[in-house]
């Protein structure tokens, strides 16, 4: 018996090489093509009904779009030489990737190479924002407490609470205050947290980014290594800024582990990934660096970030964050706001008056990464009270820092007697104490 099968067989013809472009134009001289070049794209020019296969000859980024270029997992793909992808045009210039095979044989989705819920970026969803530092100078921590702003000029940063990538997910916004000045965010990974990356040999990163109607066209993502003294990093990672396709020159002992490429932004949230990046054995610290590459930046241009994700392995996991209580503890290992926006009359602690001019109070806090520095609000924001009376502070200081304790010292007035037990309390809402053990 003979069985006739129709409509199931397809003959492939190798077409000429296609130079990558945006959009990428699919020729009609075949259905299997090599794509050369490194120009990123987010769409194809192709007739409806075409099924075609591409082998990539180099590294570029295909940007996911739910209609124009539907990629596996809804995430961007950074290609590597030898990767092969199959596509079907469901309509004119409307394309779906039906299969993607990496040249190194690894899977397109997170597998056993890293725990599926691991994320080594603390507060990547901006659950905690103790300082709310909105006027961000170069080399200054800002929104989210653990994210450092680097830039050619100061910017205005803010924590946005609506319009996030998921429900009410918060996100950080940079608003450019000076035209044509580069700007970006840096997150540092401690030496202890780097050890799994060195052992695994690979790292992968993901982040959601968008711009607003005041548009930033392109940003770049760099995964950096530090070969200087462990946990003594140069926090301003940029030595010389650049733009329009040229990466900034990094500070001494910092280097790029990946090859940053342009990421094209839209006004919709898109997850951008950098995967399968080699981690060298001489790495002492790692950093994730996201910056504006666009060379034409207008005053009040904006870009937004959220859902920072970093894990060992060749593929990036879905974004994961623990509870807000757990994140607060994690952040406090590096920086802790003991008092902020104080309630008038709020007590910080009890102490002992050696005399009218010297009162001391033990100050206890969560154990820190290293011995912290302390910043305290002006004496006028504090008050001392004993059994009978209260007095304003003439001066305040913190000294004797340890990993988890310090000494708070005040100078009161003659109404405080020697050997009196005393209480320290907030006189105004400006009362604050910040302990800082960040890199």
């Amino acid at each position: 018996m003979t069985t006739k099968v129709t409509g199931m067989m397809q003959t492939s013809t190798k077409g000429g090489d296609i130079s990558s472009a945006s959009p990428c134009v699919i020729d009609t001289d075949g259905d299997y093509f090599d794509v050369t070049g490194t120009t990123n794209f987010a769409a194809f020019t192709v007739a409806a009904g075409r099924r075609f296969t591409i082998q990539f000859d180099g590294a570029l980024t295909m940007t996911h779009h739910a209609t124009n270029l539907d990629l596996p997992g809804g995430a961007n793909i950074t290609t590597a030489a030898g990767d092969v992808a199959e596509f079907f045009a469901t309509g004119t210039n409307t394309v779906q990737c039906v299969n993607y095979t990496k040249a190194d044989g690894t899977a397109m989705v997170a597998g056993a190479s890293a725990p599926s819920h691991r994320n080594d970026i603390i507060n990547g969803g901006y659950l905690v924002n103790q300082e709310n530092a909105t006027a961000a100078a170069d080399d200054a921590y800002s929104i989210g407490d653990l994210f450092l702003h680097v830039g050619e000029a100061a910017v205005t940063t803010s924590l946005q609470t609506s319009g996030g990538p998921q429900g009410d997910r918060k996100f950080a916004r940079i608003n450019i205050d000076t035209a044509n000045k580069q700007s970006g965010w840096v997150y540092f990974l401690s030496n202890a947290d780097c050890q799994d990356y060195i052992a695994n040999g690979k790292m992968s990163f993901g982040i959601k980014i968008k711009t607003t109607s005041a548009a930033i066209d392109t940003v770049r993502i760099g995964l950096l290594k530090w070969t200087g003294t462990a946990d003594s990093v140069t926090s301003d990672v940029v030595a010389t800024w650049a733009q329009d396709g040229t990466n900034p020159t990094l500070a001494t002992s910092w280097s790029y582990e990946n090859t940053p490429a342009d990421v094209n932004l839209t006004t919709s949230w898109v997850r951008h990934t950098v995967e399968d990046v080699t981690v060298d054995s001489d790495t002492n610290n790692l950093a994730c660096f996201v910056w504006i590459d666009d060379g034409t930046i207008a005053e009040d241009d904006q870009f937004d970030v959220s859902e920072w994700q970093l894990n060992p392995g060749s593929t990036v996991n879905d974004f994961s964050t623990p509870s807000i209580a757990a994140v607060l503890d994690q952040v406090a290992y590096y920086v802790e706001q003991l008092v902020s926006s104080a309630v008038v009359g709020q007590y910080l602690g009890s102490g002992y008056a050696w005399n009218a001019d010297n009162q001391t109070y033990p100050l206890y806090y969560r154990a820190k990464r290293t011995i912290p520095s302390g910043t305290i609000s002006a004496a006028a924001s504090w008050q001392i009270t004993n059994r009978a009376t209260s007095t304003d502070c003439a001066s305040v200081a913190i000294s004797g820092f340890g990993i988890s304790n310090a000494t708070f010292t005040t100078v009161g007035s003659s109404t405080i007697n020697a050997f009196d037990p005393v209480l320290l309390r907030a006189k105004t809402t400006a009362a604050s104490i910040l302990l800082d053990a960040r890199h």
Side-chain angles (χ1 to χ4, degrees):
M1 182 178 72
T2 301
T3 302
K4 184 178 181 180
V5 180
T6 61
M8 299 295 291
M9 303 293 289
Q10 180 175 331
T11 302
S12 295
T13 302
K14 176 71 167 67
D17 291 354
I18 296 174
S19 296
S20 60
S22 181
C24 186
V25 180
I26 300 302
D27 292 335
T28 58
D29 61 339
D31 46 32
Y32 188 103
F33 306 94
D34 276 63
V35 168
T36 63
T38 57
T39 300
N40 304 327
F41 61 86
F44 286 102
T45 299
V46 62
R50 289 284 305 277
R51 184 182 293 271
F52 58 96
T53 302
I54 286 176
Q55 175 174 295
F56 294 96
D57 292 350
L60 57 84
T61 298
M62 290 192 294
T63 301
H64 168 77
H65 187 281
T67 303
N68 297 341
L69 184 52
D70 189 2
L71 299 176
N76 299 345
I77 296 176
T78 299
T79 69
D83 287 3
V84 175
E86 300 174 49
F87 299 91
F88 180 71
T90 58
T92 301
N93 304 334
T94 301
V95 175
Q96 182 172 28
C97 179
V98 296
N99 185 51
Y100 194 97
T101 303
K102 290 189 174 185
D104 63 6
T106 57
M108 281 298 296
V109 296
S113 60
S116 60
H117 297 295
R118 178 168 179 171
N119 184 5
D120 288 318
I121 292 184
I122 298 170
N123 202 27
Y126 295 99
L127 292 175
V128 174
N129 185 40
Q130 300 173 104
E131 286 188 280
N132 194 33
T134 56
D138 177 37
D139 194 24
Y141 283 98
S142 184
I143 302 301
D145 297 330
L146 301 182
F147 300 90
L148 186 88
H149 168 255
V150 291
E152 292 185 285
V155 296
T156 300
T157 57
S158 59
L159 181 70
Q160 300 292 311
T161 58
S162 63
Q166 160 122 2
D168 292 328
R169 177 93 71 209
K170 297 174 183 177
F171 59 97
R173 169 170 291 169
I174 284 180
N175 186 92
I176 299 298
D177 294 338
T178 307
N180 298 322
K181 295 297 184 180
Q182 309 301 111
S183 188
W185 295 107
V186 182
Y187 180 92
F188 299 105
L189 202 66
S190 71
N191 177 262
D193 289 332
C194 287
Q195 300 312 305
D196 282 355
Y197 291 80
I198 296 170
N200 186 289
K202 296 287 185 179
M203 63 177 165
S204 295
F205 174 78
I207 188 171
K208 286 191 175 177
I209 315 176
K210 74 174 182 69
T211 186
T212 64
S213 57
I216 299 290
D217 289 335
T218 57
V219 300
R220 288 192 167 198
I221 299 170
L223 301 184
L224 316 182
K225 76 168 180 178
W226 168 260
T227 55
T229 303
D231 292 332
S232 296
V233 301
T234 298
S235 56
D236 191 348
V237 299
V238 175
T240 305
W241 282 94
Q243 59 193 24
D244 282 341
T246 301
N247 294 322
T249 301
L250 299 178
T252 302
S253 298
W254 283 112
S255 60
Y256 295 101
E257 289 286 73
N258 66 316
T259 303
D262 283 352
V263 172
N264 298 313
L265 301 188
T266 70
T267 56
S268 299
W269 287 105
V270 177
R271 193 186 200 213
H272 301 278
T273 62
V274 180
E275 297 183 300
D276 197 32
V277 177
T278 298
V279 180
D280 299 323
S281 60
D282 62 348
T283 299
N284 287 327
N285 290 91
L286 293 168
C288 305
F289 179 27
V290 183
W291 75 95
I292 300 170
D293 180 66
D294 190 350
T296 305
I297 311 168
E299 185 176 339
D300 292 329
D301 276 1
Q302 299 170 334
F303 88 104
D304 304 332
V305 296
S306 190
E307 296 193 5
W308 296 65
Q309 169 73 36
L310 181 70
N311 54 262
S314 297
T315 54
V316 65
N317 301 333
D318 291 339
F319 173 71
S320 176
T321 182
S323 68
I324 187 171
V327 173
L328 187 57
D329 279 340
Q330 291 174 327
V331 171
Y333 182 64
Y334 295 90
V335 60
E336 184 176 6
Q337 191 95 45
L338 287 181
V339 180
S340 177
S341 300
V343 175
V344 174
Q346 174 185 348
Y347 287 98
L348 176 66
S350 59
Y352 185 82
W354 293 101
N355 51 56
D357 294 327
N358 192 338
Q359 300 87 38
T360 60
Y361 315 80
L363 187 65
Y364 299 102
Y365 42 82
R366 293 177 179 91
K368 297 290 176 281
R369 178 186 71 89
T370 188
I371 293 176
S373 61
T375 302
I376 185 171
S377 58
S381 63
W382 298 99
Q383 195 171 57
I384 310 164
T385 180
N386 63 5
R387 293 169 300 190
T389 188
S390 297
T391 184
D392 295 344
C393 292
S395 67
V396 292
I398 303 178
S399 61
F401 284 101
I403 292 295
S404 59
N405 64 280
T407 300
F408 195 111
T409 304
T410 62
V411 173
S413 71
S414 57
T415 58
I416 301 297
N417 301 312
F419 311 120
D420 272 355
V422 288
L423 297 173
L424 178 68
R425 68 184 183 186
K427 181 186 177 184
T428 73
T429 57
S432 67
I433 299 174
L434 180 74
L435 302 172
D436 193 346
R438 292 172 290 198
H439 292 97

